[in-house]
Amino acid sequence: MRELFVTAHNTSGEDGRSHSFSYYILIGQMEVGARFACESYGVKVLEQGGDSAAIPDLTVSAARIDDLLELLIRNSVGPAGLRDVVEDWL
């Protein structure tokens, strides 16, 4: 699986502390049947000096993963909230 760095985003949390998140697209390969595979996409969020969370194989659509990443960045979603946001997005 490959990781494609997209952007880093700085924000202030509800507690007033500064947070720096890095966002990545995960690029993997999903087996479809015995003789066919397609490229799959997931996301990863890394907090500088803290936790990270990754969810691979969310979609085979590059446009859909771009939409999800824009949502994550726009809302400053960190590793702790990634799974909840992705579950709502699906």
Side-chain angles (χ1 to χ4, degrees):
M1 180 161 301
R2 299 178 323 215
E3 294 181 359
L4 175 64
F5 174 75
V6 176
T7 192
H9 182 72
N10 297 314
T11 188
S12 294
E14 291 178 3
D15 58 1
R17 291 186 7 208
S18 179
H19 300 275
S20 180
F21 301 123
S22 296
Y23 296 91
Y24 299 83
I25 293 176
L26 301 176
I27 304 168
Q29 201 169 40
M30 185 181 292
E31 300 297 324
V32 181
R35 301 181 334 194
F36 182 69
C38 61
E39 199 165 66
S40 66
Y41 305 101
V43 292
K44 177 180 174 182
V45 180
L46 173 68
E47 183 171 7
Q48 185 177 6
D51 295 332
S52 69
I55 305 175
D57 301 330
L58 290 170
T59 183
V60 295
S61 168
R64 290 261 302 149
I65 207 64
D66 284 345
D67 290 343
L68 174 59
L69 219 33
E70 287 177 22
L71 174 74
L72 297 174
I73 295 164
R74 184 175 55 248
N75 292 293
S76 302
V77 175
L82 180 63
R83 184 155 304 277
D84 288 337
V85 172
V86 168
E87 286 176 0
D88 289 343
W89 176 79
L90 288 173

